[in-house]
Amino acid sequence: MSYFFQIVVSGIVVGSIYALAALGLVLVYKSSRVANFAHGQLIAAGAFIAYALTVWAKIPVFFSFIISMGATFFLAMSVEKIFLRRLIGEPIISVIMVTIGLASILDGLIYLTPFGSENFSFPAFLPHTPLSYGGVSISWTQLVGVIVTMVLIGGFSWFFKKSTVGISMRAVSDDQFAAMSVGISVQTVFGLAWATAGLSAAAAGCIIGNITGLNFDTLHAFGVVVFPVVILGGLDSILGAVVAGIIMGLIQQFASGYLDGNWGLNGTGEVMPYVILLIILLFKPHGLFGIHEIERV
Amino acid sequence: MSSNQWLATGNFFTAYKQEQRTFFTHLDRSVFSLFLALLLIWPMVFPLSNKYMLVIDSTLIAIVAVMGLNLVTGFAGLISIGHAAFVGVGAYTVAALCRVLGDSHGLVTHFWPIVILAGGLVGAVFGAVVGLPALRLKHLYLAIATLSFQMIFEWTINFMTFFNQGQTIFVGRVFWFTGKVMRREHYQFWYYVTLVVIILSGFGIRNLMKTRYGRCLIAVRDNDRAADAMGMHPGFTKVYAFALAGFMAGMAGALHAYLYRGVGFESFTLHHSISYLAMAIVGGLGTLNGSFWGPVAIQFLELQVEHFSGFAGEYLPSSMNLATALRPLTFGLVIVLFLMFEPRGIANWWRIVKSYTKKWPFRY
């Protein structure tokens, strides 16, 4: 039984990170209808900036996390300004391909640094002994990671529910013309959506980096695996991203905990999200909480 | 023959038959035949080393694959981020035959044209199955469905012992009328085979686009509700587009398996899917000659990047692998710049040059 609970705990840990990573994707899609295929690279960039600041510039860990979040905030904002603003109104394939191209460019830039080929790990700043209760154990990094994630997600939802900027972002996602007519600058909102996405990506990157270590492949794989998460939750729902993130984490951990090694299966955790994704696309394409756009083809 | 054999000033067709000809003018036909003859003759006149012949062969195979991608993404407007997986399906059809029958069984080595077609057919079946979500989904959702097929394909190959867990599965040397194709003539042989495949499927696609089965693809891309009102079934048309793309990709995969004499997992990753998309975009989506320009341009670029990083790598610390960094960088830049400044691709340059020469010395 403790095996079961152990899997539940690690599923929640992984799932909350997925939720945070998916949040950025949902933010961008919600406001500007762009699916950002470069999100994994933003996550990786955030983590690497934080590492460089902590280890090479010797800035205290928490400050460097905050600085890296600020840096990716501006990175994502400038990406939107330079590349995506020109493509407003272009067919969706151009927009998707531009984000894929951006992913490729960021890949190349990261490969130019040592982070592309080597593995690093953050210096430990939390106690090593894991917390355990009744045979279920969770390390301090994981616990702190989950708590920080939850706080951040809470912060983001407060931001969208209550703050003026958040409300204007929701207004733009609802109806761009109506938003313009009440004096909201749609372009600023697009930029801000990307910027907040970058910020949440950096936060996710720092937490992943602390839990699993800094490996470029792992980090940018998150950019692909968030797609099943956002589709399950509904592409334009923040609540959906959180719920689906945790569901996906649990599914993944249960798959690798119970299916691997039986019936000659292996590595099912990696493929399960995509199988679920295909099933959802076939039967409930708008996800758990997404808006149903009724359209027959 | 119509009276207007140069077709420079306008459209004087008086019958549908005239419009459906493959070559509109004598000039068209003679230029094309000359070009074709050149393509057929040069390897005999200037024999290249195996290394460069391999590059040219793989470019040609990429052309076959990109023709398929252009059908689904360019003509039918459905984004496919899993094209390398379809190519992989074709390649692994050959590999599966080799695993079941042994890698130099007569079927694989003597009846290779049939095996290539079979690879195409298996690819088509997979294409249709993956395209099934197209009955309900559009745009982004469909793109993500193809992405998930790519991921599932990679996992299946990586973890199935039947497919050697992604390690190379060998494919035997094939036979031609003159006997076994040996190492010396291997690359030239496959150059000709791929060229024939390209020419046949090029004509096939060009003619397809003049029939209702090709035009319905364009109709569905441009406006699927209007297409529905005209009596087409947009859902099935999309599935059919995926099947066509799968067929071309499957053939490309089978050719790839024969050319490299082995099938390994690393040639069919997400990265390759993206580079097929890049080739289609750089060439020009929705144009047939774009499918030729794109792969050639990207392959040329890749060679230059490798050359440059080999040259610049000498001045840098050896721990840095410049090629792995520069390849995605230039690649991404090319995609982004083309989409921002020339979304219609190289095919559009070709069109501009053509109309310029036609009207010279006048500007319009």
Side-chain angles (χ1 to χ4, degrees), chain B residues 78-100:
Chain B
L78 310 162
I79 309 163
S80 168
I81 318 184
H83 204 65
F86 294 121
V87 178
V89 166
Y92 273 96
T93 309
V94 181
L97 277 177
C98 289
R99 289 289 275 192
V100 174

Side-chain angles (χ1 to χ4, degrees), chain A:
Chain A
M1 206 59 201
S2 71
Y3 183 64
F4 176 82
F5 283 113
Q6 182 65 56
I7 287 177
V8 170
V9 165
S10 56
I12 289 173
V13 170
V14 175
S16 61
I17 297 169
Y18 282 166
L20 189 57
L23 193 67
L25 207 77
V26 169
L27 287 178
V28 170
Y29 186 81
K30 205 173 154 69
S31 68
S32 58
R33 306 277 145 188
V34 172
N36 181 13
F37 278 81
H39 200 64
Q41 279 72 13
L42 285 180
I43 292 174
F48 294 151
I49 292 170
Y51 179 86
L53 289 173
T54 325
V55 176
W56 296 339
K58 303 259 185 314
I59 296 172
V61 176
F62 288 104
F63 288 114
S64 65
F65 284 177
I66 289 165
I67 297 172
S68 108
M69 278 157 80
T72 37
F73 182 91
F74 288 109
L75 174 70
M77 204 179 201
S78 46
V79 160
E80 197 273 340
K81 265 216 172 100
I82 297 168
F83 296 106
L84 285 137
R85 189 154 295 173
R86 295 158 181 270
L87 290 167
I88 293 174
E90 292 277 325
I92 184 164
I93 174 158
S94 313
V95 180
I96 289 181
M97 276 313 294
V98 163
T99 61
I100 290 176
L102 275 175
S104 204
I105 293 175
L106 289 174
D107 265 352
L109 289 179
I110 290 172
Y111 278 126
L112 280 177
T113 65
F115 292 111
S117 44
E118 290 165 48
N119 291 330
F120 294 91
S121 53
F122 273 105
F125 57 93
L126 289 164
H128 281 291
T129 43
L131 283 170
S132 49
Y133 179 80
V136 180
S137 68
I138 178 170
S139 74
W140 275 97
T141 20
Q142 288 177 331
L143 187 65
V144 172
V146 171
I147 291 169
V148 171
T149 311
M150 291 303 166
V151 169
L152 279 173
I153 289 172
F156 276 116
S157 10
W158 174 86
F159 174 74
F160 284 105
K161 280 262 150 56
K162 301 287 178 197
S163 74
T164 322
V165 180
I167 290 170
S168 64
M169 282 165 91
R170 281 195 295 147
V172 168
S173 84
D174 216 27
D175 189 332
Q176 283 185 19
F177 280 108
M180 262 190 247
S181 70
V182 294
I184 297 167
S185 162
V186 174
Q187 294 196 339
T188 318
V189 166
F190 283 1
L192 273 176
W194 272 83
T196 35
L199 198 134
S200 71
C206 293
I207 291 167
I208 299 165
N210 268 300
I211 293 175
T212 66
L214 290 167
N215 175 288
F216 184 45
D217 287 334
T218 342
L219 282 167
H220 95 316
F222 270 86
V224 185
V225 88
V226 290
F227 278 101
V229 174
V230 291
I231 293 283
L232 174 63
L235 261 170
D236 42 16
S237 159
I238 292 173
L239 174 69
V242 177
V243 173
I246 289 174
I247 293 175
M248 207 52 101
L250 286 171
I251 288 173
Q252 210 178 28
Q253 294 299 316
F254 271 105
S256 55
Y258 283 100
L259 291 179
D260 279 4
N262 305 328
W263 307 293
L265 289 170
N266 220 337
T268 39
E270 290 165 37
V271 78
M272 245 342 166
Y274 300 100
V275 176
I276 305 265
L277 169 63
L278 267 191
I279 295 170
I280 291 164
L281 282 177
L282 278 173
F283 295 108
K284 197 168 167 35
H286 298 290
L288 297 175
F289 299 95
I291 295 168
H292 290 251
E293 293 163 9
I294 295 171
E295 188 169 25
R296 299 229 170 268
V297 284

Side-chain angles (χ1 to χ4, degrees), chain B residues 17-30:
Chain B
K17 206 83 192 148
Q18 290 173 1
E19 205 188 344
Q20 283 173 354
R21 283 176 320 191
T22 310
F23 300 107
F24 288 125
T25 61
H26 289 328
L27 184 69
D28 259 3
R29 177 180 292 143
S30 25

